[in-house]
Amino acid sequence: MEGALTTAPAPRARPPALDARTMCEAFQITAAERPDDVALRTIADGISITWGEYSERVGRLAGGLAALGVGPGDTVGFMLTNRPEFHLLDTAAMHLGATPFSIYNTSSPEQIAYLLGDAANRVMIVEAAFMDRVAAVLEGGQGNVEHLVVLDGATSDSITLEELEAAEPPAGFDFEAGWRAVAPGDILTLIYTSGTTGPPKGVQLTHGNEMAQCRGLDDVNHWPSGGGSIVSFLPMAHIADRGLTHYGQMAWGETLTCCPEVTQVFAHVADARPTRWGAVPRVWEKLKAALEAGIAADPDEARRAAVLAAIELGLRVVRTEQAGEPIDADLLEAYKQADEHVFAPMRAKLGLDRCASYVTGAAPAPLEVFEFFAAIGIPICEVWGMSELTSVATINPPERIRYGTVGPALPGVEIRLADDGEVLVRGPTVMAGYRNQPEKTAETIDADGWLRTGDIGALDEHGYLKIVDRKKELIINAAGKNMSPANIEQQLKQGSALIGQAIAIGDRRP
């Protein structure tokens, strides 16, 4: 609901890359549009790569990968931290019509072996720090890897990034013809699910899926094209960072700052001053706790009292706005003064003074977290989705946030509820299917294209979705009542700042 703390996105020209058919085309449009702007950067070692340099290196690396035999439909495995080389190499593979995918850096040799077997990639790109686990898999004869590219210290059985980039492409190699031949229905990447109910499933996402995702997000958020800044800190094996930073940057043309360790994220945010930023709920919870601890530790009693009073004022505005009630003019003026003198400096110190869009998802967050940040001028838009839906399926519009919901469906995406309350989704962001698992695909997507999400939800009169729980996790008590463990856990977490996680167990218990 529009009011003091939620403002409509400023009008601006639609980024031309959003009219592309594939992510290859989107990248080429953006790189040609702003060749001298910085595309990729780091803080610790001061790396800075312009879009022009990014594009040139992608061409050379694509030639090197082609020399290793990588072509349309082939898979290329990655096990890297968040660093510029990931973007260069992944984008190069994509331009060949190949399917790059990432492995979580915490994966065990057994997990790595399973993924390499399922993906059947003949090329593996890995950081030296993870070579012990990868080597254990390869030495055991598992997987189909024939070529190993190692960053930060190649072995006798591998080549370096420099050698790959300098390699002579095969005869007749035509980089431009290759990427132009990539079609919207071609597989862009594999996202392997966590495998909590069995072996991981390889979610196959197409170029068309990701382009539809970018267009839908742009229709809601109107993110500016060029001049923006984002920070990459979540694993590229997860669709959130791969989709919203790696691919999203190709659509919106921002400068991407690579954060190699999640523990360093706030230092990177302070340096990069992002124009859009998102994090999982636990990161927001930790930030809230850190801010509150900092306020409590302020030795200046008068200043501490003023900040607490300003936050209380902000909370009154937030709760009034969320209730759909008009905000008193005096209250609104007092809040504007508090924002100027208290909250704006606070946001600047965090590095969020330029940020116009905040999101969270992947797990439920306590209402008090949303209220606290909205009170200090950081309105968080909760989203909902899954890998099978190319990440985001619903999002709270920044000018009409309804806390306690995950917002309405993205434009072009349809949502309905099954008889048992399961959320069903249909649209251009629904995956192409699970790799090598046609039976699982048929179980998940029906003949009419509706994907069963496994989430139980409810829709309000405005079309906003509220997630109740996972379908398989609902607890039915002895009286036959359905109870949501997620709701119980949420109440426990809200009960004390000392509770980081909670779990409700109801299996075979009275």
Side-chain angles (χ1 to χ4, degrees):
M1 31 192 84
E2 192 168 348
L5 307 182
T6 54
T7 56
R12 54 79 172 111
R14 175 185 169 93
L18 290 176
D19 295 323
R21 296 170 60 252
T22 66
M23 291 311 304
C24 303
E25 187 180 352
F27 172 83
Q28 291 295 329
I29 289 171
T30 297
E33 187 181 34
R34 46 180 47 84
D36 298 325
D37 291 355
V38 175
L40 306 171
R41 65 185 288 267
T42 63
I43 295 176
D45 45 14
I47 293 173
S48 180
I49 299 171
T50 66
W51 280 99
E53 292 165 340
Y54 189 175
S55 179
E56 290 173 5
R57 294 191 66 184
V58 162
R60 291 196 297 271
L61 288 165
L65 289 170
L68 298 182
V70 177
D74 291 330
T75 48
V76 179
F78 285 77
M79 199 165 176
L80 303 175
T81 55
N82 299 55
R83 54 191 293 171
E85 291 88 347
F86 164 81
H87 301 279
L88 295 166
L89 288 157
D90 191 280
T91 304
M94 174 184 84
H95 275 70
L96 294 172
T99 301
F101 72 97
S102 291
I103 296 174
Y104 283 103
N105 297 340
T106 53
S107 298
S108 67
E110 293 76 20
Q111 292 169 323
I112 295 169
Y114 176 84
L115 298 184
L116 297 187
D118 189 70
N121 55 298
R122 293 185 297 112
V123 175
M124 183 78 185
I125 301 171
V126 63
E127 217 162 288
F130 311 125
M131 262 307 295
D132 55 342
R133 279 171 283 157
V134 172
V137 172
L138 301 183
E139 288 167 6
Q142 297 164 296
N144 304 290
V145 175
E146 299 172 5
H147 303 285
L148 199 58
V149 181
V150 179
L151 276 60
D152 308 326
T155 66
S156 58
D157 300 323
S158 66
I159 64 171
T160 65
L161 175 65
E162 293 73 22
E163 289 171 329
L164 179 70
E165 194 165 356
E168 187 70 28
F173 175 71
D174 188 329
F175 174 69
E176 182 166 351
W179 71 256
R180 288 190 181 278
V182 176
D186 290 346
I187 304 301
L188 171 66
T189 191
L190 299 173
I191 300 293
Y192 280 96
T193 61
S194 58
T196 53
T197 56
K201 298 187 291 288
V203 175
Q204 299 180 118
L205 299 178
T206 68
H207 284 260
N209 286 152
E210 187 57 48
M211 287 306 309
Q213 172 85 157
C214 290
R215 292 184 192 110
L217 288 169
D218 187 77
D219 286 344
V220 175
N221 292 284
H222 304 281
W223 288 327
S225 176
S229 170
I230 52 176
V231 177
S232 169
F233 68 99
L234 294 172
M236 284 296 165
H238 195 284
I239 186 55
D241 222 43
R242 177 177 275 274
L244 293 176
T245 64
H246 179 51
Y247 299 133
Q249 186 208 19
M250 298 177 194
W252 290 286
E254 300 123 327
T255 295
L256 187 152
T257 300
C258 299
C259 173
E261 291 285 345
V262 68
T263 54
Q264 302 169 1
V265 63
F266 293 123
H268 282 69
V269 167
D271 179 88
R273 298 173 63 222
T275 49
R276 60 178 173 95
W277 191 63
V280 294
R282 189 62 187 139
V283 173
W284 288 109
E285 290 168 10
K286 287 182 176 180
L287 179 57
K288 175 177 179 287
L291 290 172
E292 289 174 329
I295 294 166
D298 191 338
D300 188 321
E301 187 175 341
R303 185 168 55 206
R304 184 170 69 249
V307 173
L308 292 173
I311 292 173
E312 191 58 39
L313 190 70
L315 289 171
R316 285 174 57 197
V317 174
V318 172
R319 289 163 182 166
T320 302
E321 187 177 70
Q322 286 291 303
E325 300 170 359
I327 301 171
D328 178 79
D330 291 340
L331 175 60
L332 188 55
E333 180 58 33
Y335 175 76
K336 288 180 178 177
Q337 292 297 317
D339 187 67
E340 180 182 348
H341 298 292
V342 179
F343 303 140
M346 189 182 295
R347 293 193 298 270
K349 187 175 181 180
L350 291 172
L352 296 175
D353 52 316
R354 297 196 304 157
C355 200
S357 178
Y358 308 91
V359 298
T360 194
L367 176 60
E368 63 179 23
V369 171
F370 290 110
E371 289 184 335
F372 173 84
F373 281 107
I376 66 172
I378 299 177
I380 305 169
C381 298
E382 189 169 10
V383 306
W384 169 83
M386 54 199 299
S387 301
E388 289 87 341
L389 297 172
T390 323
S391 188
V392 177
T394 71
I395 183 171
N396 268 280
E399 73 278 14
R400 298 190 312 278
I401 296 174
R402 291 179 180 272
Y403 295 124
T405 79
V406 291
L410 281 183
V413 173
E414 297 177 79
I415 286 184
R416 68 179 178 88
L417 302 180
D419 293 340
D420 62 358
E422 183 177 6
V423 182
L424 308 179
V425 182
R426 182 169 67 179
T429 59
V430 172
M431 67 171 177
Y434 294 119
R435 186 175 182 85
N436 302 324
Q437 298 193 50
E439 298 85 2
K440 285 284 185 184
T441 301
E443 287 175 17
T444 306
I445 306 173
D446 71 16
D448 295 321
W450 289 99
L451 183 139
R452 296 183 176 278
T453 66
D455 280 337
I456 299 295
L459 288 165
D460 69 14
E461 67 275 20
H462 302 285
Y464 282 58
L465 179 67
K466 179 180 176 65
I467 299 298
V468 177
D469 212 326
R470 288 294 293 168
K471 184 175 179 178
K472 294 180 180 179
E473 292 176 359
L474 288 177
I475 296 170
I476 305 176
N477 73 2
K481 178 180 174 61
N482 285 328
M483 298 183 295
S484 163
N487 287 344
I488 297 168
E489 292 156 4
Q490 195 73 280
Q491 290 298 313
L492 288 169
K493 289 173 68 177
Q494 288 179 211
S496 170
L498 296 177
I499 300 175
Q501 298 293 337
I503 183 168
I505 300 171
D507 190 33
R508 294 185 294 277
R509 292 166 185 257

